[in-house]
Amino acid sequence: MSADFTESPLIEHLIELRARLVRGLLGLGAVLLALLPFSRALYSHLAMPLISQLPAGQSMIATNPAGAFFAPLKLTFFSAVFLAAPWLLYQVWAFVAPGLYAREKRLAMPLLGSAVALFYIGCAFAYFLVLPAVFHFLTTFRPDVIAITPDANAYLDFVLAIFFAFGASFELPVAMVILVLLGWVSPQQLREGRGYAVVGIFVVAAVLTPPDVVSQLMLAIPMCILYELGLHAARWLAPRDQDRTAAP
């Protein structure tokens, strides 16, 4: 009898997990099907930051015979994941929410929404500001004897890596708040470690971005600003005992 009692909740959780996975995949599939007719247009828009910097009449190439076909499809899949992220995260939230306390639920939703919004903002910042500046810098200072003929797949991989780097880096304030709420660090420690954080930010920017000073600065400077925002948010949301500890 006790074995059935202990196995029943586990089976119910597995059934609920399967249902959430199916719903998430169905939502992702629906978005993917809706985007498939626009695969070529999506890639054309993604290529604009580079194409606008190339000499007139010059465009991309596909070194692999199937590259011109698979590159737009690959972009469409990642675009579907990008657009369906709120739905997928909602399924995760709906699965774990019943096991959270009321205070945890009140804090989790704003943090989750902020994380999604900051990731989108980071990607938009990379597309509209960083990529045009980087490609302008790279094409301007290249020797005249070198012609830029970018490969479609290599360009896609490069841009996706930039999007992920900036999107993930813009999550810094959320990560700081979570660390404070977990009690791993205090707002005072974050404030006192500001100098080390700035050095670490520039190191991370140098690792995540291409080897040019433009993209490194365009990642490091916003991250320093986001660190200050995260510090203020952490002080505001910190438990009372940490507030007293952080007081000067």
Side-chain angles (χ1 to χ4, degrees), residues 120-205:
Y120 285 165
I121 293 172
C123 293
F125 181 82
Y127 179 79
F128 290 106
L129 295 177
V130 177
L131 290 179
V134 169
F135 292 135
H136 177 74
F137 175 82
L138 295 177
T139 55
T140 300
F141 292 95
R142 67 175 177 86
D144 294 335
V145 296
I146 299 178
I148 299 179
T149 54
D151 175 67
N153 275 299
Y155 173 79
L156 177 59
D157 293 339
F158 174 82
V159 172
L160 290 178
I162 291 292
F163 282 172
F164 179 79
F166 277 81
S169 299
F170 272 51
E171 302 290 334
L172 180 60
V174 176
M176 294 170 63
V177 170
I178 292 176
L179 291 176
V180 170
L181 292 177
L182 291 175
W184 293 0
V185 295
S186 66
Q188 182 180 4
Q189 290 173 323
L190 292 175
R191 186 172 60 252
E192 293 174 350
R194 182 186 284 113
Y196 298 102
V198 171
V199 174
I201 285 172
F202 274 88
V203 172
V204 170

Side-chain angles (χ1 to χ4, degrees), residues 14-33:
L14 292 176
I15 294 175
E16 175 69 12
L17 176 61
R18 183 184 65 180
R20 293 297 174 184
L21 288 174
V22 170
R23 292 173 187 174
L25 291 176
L26 288 176
L28 175 61
V31 176
L32 180 60
L33 290 176

Side-chain angles (χ1 to χ4, degrees), residues 39-102:
S39 296
R40 295 171 61 184
L42 286 173
Y43 196 93
S44 297
H45 283 294
L46 187 72
M48 281 305 299
L50 176 59
I51 296 299
S52 62
Q53 302 298 329
L54 294 178
Q58 193 170 343
S59 60
M60 293 186 180
I61 63 173
T63 56
N64 187 323
F69 174 76
F70 285 110
L73 290 182
K74 182 179 178 181
L75 173 61
T76 304
F77 172 76
F78 281 103
S79 300
V81 174
F82 181 80
L83 294 176
W87 172 252
L88 297 175
L89 290 174
Y90 170 75
Q91 299 304 319
V92 176
W93 163 255
F95 178 72
V96 303
L100 300 178
Y101 295 107

